Amino acid sequence: MEFILVLKIFHLLMQDIYFQAERVRCSRQQKNGEWGSVACLDPTLLETALLVAKVDSLMIPPLPPRLGLLRETDGRAYSWHSPNNIVPNSEAPTAEVNRRSGWTPHVDTLSASSPPSGEHNGAVTRLAISQDQSFFVSGSHDGTCRVWEMRRFENVVGLQSSLVYKGHNKNGMGRVNDVCIVENSHSVVSGASDGSVHVWRVDSVQPSKSKVSDRSEPNAPQKYYDTARVCGSSVVRNIDSEEGEILAVGHFNSNTASLVTFASQKGHIHSWDLRSAKEPFKLKLQPELGYLTSMATGTDKNWIIAGTNRGYIALWDIRFQMMVKLWQHSSGAPVSRLATCYTTLPQDKNGDNNYSGDERKPFMFVGCGKNEASVFDVTNGACRQCFRVLDPMLAYIDQTLLPESCLTMPTLQNVDIPSNQSKPIASAVRNTLNFNRISSSEPSVLSLMGRIGATGRSYLITGGSDRCLRYWDFNLPSRCYTISGFVHGQPAPTYEGVNLFKTDETSVNQNLFLCRSRNAAPNSDVPSSDLPHHLQQGLVRPENAHRDAILDIKSVDYPRKSLLSCSRDGVIKLWQ
């Protein structure tokens, strides 16, 4: 009897230990959000747990976050992707579009500028404009993003921000490297040097109608963006890649997802669906190609291109998540900026400015080389247009005597991609050891934006390390000019075209435009009062140009057609 009693007591103790361990395990699982653990602790929730498990197996995405609505001039919400979408902030859309197609920036006409101190304290790396033209966002190396309202552009001399986002600067060490707007919303994506990516919403509020009517004329129509005010920001999502700095960010909407793309210092291009917790795709850039410097998404949202500091340009097909093309720029210089479009170039059109058949193709705009920007055909890698700035030492040399490197088009050299893309690219490893690249001290194009349309002028505006803003016309070099950057006493830059001879390899139309920029004459030590009367200049107004490299350019449509530029000295300028 005593032996049986001891055995029962031992059995009860072991059972108690087992159930205690099971409770601990279930408690840990419950803490991690596992529904089965809840059912074990409370059997009455078994049916609910099974239902949730079935729904979870279907991978149904959660409800999308609130990203903010786009607004028309009367305050009504609208979608940028709607087939009946009209041009926002315009009374007559057709007339407004025609006005935009004929707009060109004026020479050295500065409308407003941010103060050198009091706003950004570091280099302003990127600008991003909301699709309804209500505000734009600037990202800076001081670790902050600032929101600037467009309505304040009327009759102002100094630009003043309305909101400061400091989410990346909690420890005082972060730098914002890139920002972009979430399509069809009032939310912003920002990537910083601490490896974090934040999606945050710009909140706005409109005063009551009674308060608005008291400050305005009784019969004047009220526009939403004339009265709406930015009131704050709200963090929607944030993620830490744990892969070093975030070098570039982007966003695009597909039929089923709202995708944020961001590139890390380790060479990975990640995707982040704002409507789901899973990563749709992840792309890899081999280390022998260099670190990523620029990224852009194709117009059809099916491909992504990325450029590196060693002159490589890689193209991935998002649908198959694989690299399909790899080129190296003939200069081997860092690829500072990329942009894409799907259109027909002006030289491929008939004389009446109509399309010569269905010649629409994907093109990429590349800022690479010694102070030049080029347009390449993505289908075959051929250069179709090149805009090049000559060294001032060559400004007075006849075109026939210029070095051959100044008169030839840049090329993209195909690089063989191994069938196993996880293996190193042998040719890239050899080029790393033997190739002589352009020095970083050489001037380069760091920012570009433009327009290629079926009607009106097609142009490209570039800015770079030489502090100049240049307007390039696709058709005639005589229409090209320098918007800003030349100093007092400097001769006006001249533009000319180069006659390129067609060969069997280059049977398509190619254009090469050159800019001759001449240095200003050295200042004399002779006092102005001792100079002859015809050489005396009198009072000279201060220069409007940026004092450091221009890092980004954006076009503004509201409240009037303008041009925004930002530079490494932390200043943002608005040009008419």
XYZ file of all heavy atoms in Angstrom, residues 35-77:
321
model
N -2.540 32.107 -31.901
C -3.918 31.859 -31.446
C -4.083 30.488 -30.814
O -4.922 30.267 -29.955
C -4.877 32.001 -32.620
C -5.255 33.426 -32.838
C -4.599 34.330 -33.610
C -6.353 34.120 -32.265
N -5.210 35.546 -33.564
C -6.314 35.435 -32.749
C -7.378 33.750 -31.393
C -7.243 36.395 -32.393
C -8.317 34.712 -31.049
C -8.241 36.014 -31.529
N -3.298 29.491 -31.215
C -3.422 28.169 -30.630
C -3.166 28.165 -29.138
O -3.766 27.402 -28.375
N -2.248 29.025 -28.686
C -1.963 29.103 -27.263
C -3.166 29.622 -26.491
O -3.438 29.197 -25.364
C -0.757 30.011 -27.022
O -1.038 31.325 -27.497
N -3.920 30.556 -27.087
C -5.124 31.063 -26.427
C -6.152 29.955 -26.276
O -6.829 29.826 -25.248
C -5.703 32.253 -27.217
C -6.957 32.781 -26.549
C -4.663 33.349 -27.338
N -6.276 29.118 -27.319
C -7.230 28.019 -27.252
C -6.841 27.011 -26.179
O -7.685 26.409 -25.521
C -7.334 27.334 -28.609
N -5.515 26.803 -25.989
C -5.076 25.882 -24.949
C -5.385 26.423 -23.561
O -5.746 25.675 -22.658
C -3.580 25.623 -25.097
S -3.155 24.653 -26.571
N -5.208 27.726 -23.391
C -5.484 28.313 -22.085
C -6.971 28.424 -21.828
O -7.430 28.283 -20.697
C -4.824 29.699 -22.001
C -3.293 29.710 -21.969
C -2.778 31.139 -21.959
C -2.766 28.955 -20.756
N -7.728 28.738 -22.907
C -9.182 28.896 -22.754
C -9.865 28.089 -23.854
O -9.977 28.540 -24.992
C -9.548 30.382 -22.851
C -11.011 30.624 -22.470
O -11.740 29.629 -22.238
O -11.410 31.794 -22.392
N -10.313 26.866 -23.565
C -10.925 26.007 -24.606
C -12.149 26.624 -25.256
O -12.523 26.232 -26.362
C -11.284 24.728 -23.833
C -10.390 24.735 -22.637
C -10.210 26.177 -22.266
N -12.788 27.618 -24.613
C -13.970 28.239 -25.221
C -13.615 29.044 -26.467
O -14.492 29.365 -27.266
C -14.654 29.148 -24.193
O -13.726 30.157 -23.767
C -15.109 28.348 -22.987
N -12.337 29.391 -26.637
C -11.910 30.161 -27.807
C -11.402 29.265 -28.935
O -10.826 29.767 -29.893
C -10.802 31.139 -27.412
C -11.178 32.222 -26.388
C -9.962 33.079 -26.057
C -12.299 33.098 -26.926
N -11.617 27.970 -28.829
C -11.099 27.054 -29.842
C -11.695 27.337 -31.219
O -11.001 27.368 -32.227
C -11.384 25.610 -29.420
C -10.927 24.528 -30.415
C -9.429 24.618 -30.638
C -11.338 23.149 -29.921
N -13.010 27.570 -31.285
C -13.662 27.830 -32.576
C -13.138 29.127 -33.197
O -12.881 29.201 -34.402
C -15.167 27.909 -32.364
C -15.953 28.061 -33.672
C -17.450 28.045 -33.449
O -17.893 27.761 -32.291
O -18.180 28.317 -34.409
N -12.968 30.148 -32.357
C -12.423 31.414 -32.875
C -10.996 31.236 -33.371
O -10.599 31.786 -34.405
C -12.469 32.490 -31.781
O -13.799 32.630 -31.307
C -11.970 33.826 -32.315
N -10.195 30.465 -32.627
C -8.815 30.230 -33.028
C -8.738 29.511 -34.369
O -7.910 29.839 -35.222
C -8.091 29.433 -31.946
N -9.600 28.523 -34.576
C -9.606 27.809 -35.851
C -10.015 28.716 -36.997
O -9.464 28.648 -38.103
C -10.547 26.601 -35.757
C -10.127 25.486 -34.793
C -11.196 24.408 -34.737
C -8.791 24.886 -35.210
N -10.982 29.611 -36.756
C -11.422 30.549 -37.796
C -10.300 31.520 -38.167
O -10.052 31.787 -39.353
C -12.653 31.305 -37.319
C -13.210 32.371 -38.283
C -13.635 31.716 -39.595
C -14.384 33.103 -37.657
N -9.616 32.031 -37.159
C -8.510 32.955 -37.424
C -7.383 32.241 -38.162
O -6.743 32.813 -39.054
C -8.010 33.564 -36.098
C -6.725 34.357 -36.318
C -9.078 34.449 -35.490
N -7.123 30.989 -37.814
C -6.088 30.221 -38.502
C -6.417 30.037 -39.978
O -5.538 30.124 -40.844
C -5.903 28.870 -37.822
N -7.690 29.803 -40.290
C -8.087 29.661 -41.696
C -7.938 30.970 -42.452
O -7.465 31.001 -43.582
C -9.532 29.169 -41.763
C -9.733 27.729 -41.280
C -11.188 27.314 -41.373
C -11.388 25.884 -40.895
N -12.806 25.468 -40.969
N -8.350 32.088 -41.827
C -8.208 33.392 -42.483
C -6.741 33.734 -42.689
O -6.342 34.264 -43.734
C -8.920 34.484 -41.640
C -8.634 35.863 -42.214
C -10.415 34.226 -41.592
N -5.909 33.402 -41.695
C -4.481 33.690 -41.815
C -3.841 32.873 -42.924
O -2.912 33.326 -43.596
C -3.796 33.414 -40.482
C -2.335 33.837 -40.494
O -2.076 35.033 -40.712
O -1.471 32.966 -40.304
N -4.320 31.650 -43.133
C -3.761 30.817 -44.201
C -4.072 31.368 -45.580
O -3.354 31.090 -46.535
C -4.293 29.390 -44.077
O -5.706 29.363 -44.293
N -5.134 32.153 -45.719
C -5.481 32.770 -47.002
C -4.613 33.973 -47.325
O -4.655 34.488 -48.447
C -6.960 33.191 -46.991
C -7.988 32.063 -46.869
C -9.394 32.646 -46.774
C -7.889 31.112 -48.059
N -3.824 34.464 -46.329
C -2.910 35.605 -46.506
C -3.662 36.829 -47.008
O -3.228 37.520 -47.930
C -1.764 35.246 -47.452
C -0.906 34.090 -46.978
S 0.442 33.701 -48.107
C 1.384 35.214 -48.016
N -4.811 37.100 -46.423
C -5.589 38.283 -46.778
C -4.917 39.503 -46.171
O -4.677 39.548 -44.962
C -7.037 38.162 -46.270
C -7.713 36.936 -46.904
C -7.827 39.421 -46.566
C -9.110 36.675 -46.399
N -4.568 40.522 -46.969
C -3.872 41.680 -46.405
C -4.788 42.476 -45.487
O -6.017 42.474 -45.647
C -3.492 42.501 -47.653
C -4.478 42.090 -48.686
C -4.791 40.655 -48.411
N -4.216 43.170 -44.514
C -5.035 43.992 -43.628
C -5.555 45.228 -44.354
O -5.206 45.493 -45.508
C -4.061 44.371 -42.502
C -2.719 44.319 -43.155
C -2.789 43.217 -44.165
N -6.378 45.990 -43.667
C -6.887 47.224 -44.255
C -5.735 48.193 -44.501
O -4.814 48.290 -43.688
C -7.915 47.864 -43.320
C -9.219 47.082 -43.116
C -10.087 47.791 -42.091
C -9.963 46.908 -44.422
N -5.736 48.901 -45.632
C -4.627 49.817 -45.915
C -4.607 50.972 -44.920
O -5.641 51.372 -44.393
C -4.946 50.306 -47.341
C -6.419 50.120 -47.497
C -6.762 48.904 -46.685
N -3.430 51.516 -44.660
C -3.352 52.638 -43.729
C -3.943 53.901 -44.330
O -4.100 54.030 -45.556
C -1.843 52.785 -43.491
C -1.227 52.251 -44.748
C -2.113 51.138 -45.199
N -4.258 54.833 -43.478
C -4.768 56.138 -43.929
C -3.584 56.994 -44.334
O -2.791 57.438 -43.496
C -5.571 56.800 -42.811
C -6.801 56.007 -42.381
C -7.561 56.743 -41.293
N -8.020 58.043 -41.747
C -8.645 58.936 -40.964
N -8.854 58.648 -39.683
N -9.033 60.085 -41.437
N -3.477 57.256 -45.640
C -2.328 57.970 -46.186
C -2.624 59.419 -46.519
O -1.727 60.146 -46.945
C -1.817 57.257 -47.440
C -1.353 55.810 -47.230
C -1.002 55.173 -48.564
C -0.166 55.753 -46.290
N -3.878 59.865 -46.347
C -4.225 61.239 -46.694
C -4.793 61.326 -48.093
O -4.330 60.644 -49.020
N -5.791 62.171 -48.281
C -6.495 62.287 -49.556
C -6.001 63.473 -50.355
O -5.656 64.526 -49.806
C -8.007 62.445 -49.304
C -8.715 61.285 -48.596
C -10.165 61.652 -48.315
C -8.641 60.013 -49.427
N -5.959 63.290 -51.681
C -5.728 64.408 -52.581
C -6.999 65.243 -52.678
O -8.106 64.715 -52.607
C -5.315 63.917 -53.963
C -4.037 63.063 -54.044
C -3.771 62.689 -55.490
C -2.852 63.792 -53.466
N -6.828 66.551 -52.861
C -7.969 67.459 -52.890
C -7.951 68.309 -54.149
O -6.891 68.719 -54.629
C -7.947 68.393 -51.676
C -7.981 67.679 -50.326
C -9.357 67.153 -50.009
N -9.400 66.507 -48.694
C -10.500 65.997 -48.157
N -11.650 66.050 -48.825
N -10.455 65.419 -46.968
N -9.168 68.556 -54.681
C -9.303 69.504 -55.775
C -9.390 70.912 -55.210
O -9.362 71.125 -53.991
C -10.535 69.162 -56.612
C -10.423 67.829 -57.333
C -11.612 67.570 -58.255
O -12.388 68.511 -58.469
O -11.749 66.439 -58.721
N -9.499 71.887 -56.075
C -9.507 73.271 -55.622
C -10.699 73.594 -54.737
O -10.627 74.485 -53.903
C -9.502 74.222 -56.831
O -10.607 73.876 -57.691
C -8.210 74.091 -57.611
N -11.808 72.869 -54.911
C -12.978 73.113 -54.074
C -13.004 72.209 -52.839
O -13.981 72.218 -52.084
C -14.266 72.919 -54.880
C -14.346 71.520 -55.514
O -13.402 70.734 -55.302
O -15.332 71.250 -56.205
N -11.958 71.434 -52.624
C -11.871 70.597 -51.435
C -12.360 69.183 -51.620
O -12.225 68.364 -50.698
N -12.934 68.833 -52.757
C -13.420 67.476 -52.975
C -12.249 66.516 -53.152
O -11.262 66.838 -53.801
C -14.316 67.425 -54.217
C -15.667 68.116 -54.041
C -16.533 67.994 -55.274
N -15.983 68.735 -56.401
C -15.583 68.179 -57.537
N -15.671 66.868 -57.698
N -15.097 68.912 -58.513
N -12.378 65.338 -52.560
C -11.340 64.314 -52.692
C -11.387 63.708 -54.096
O -12.454 63.582 -54.703
C -11.530 63.231 -51.635
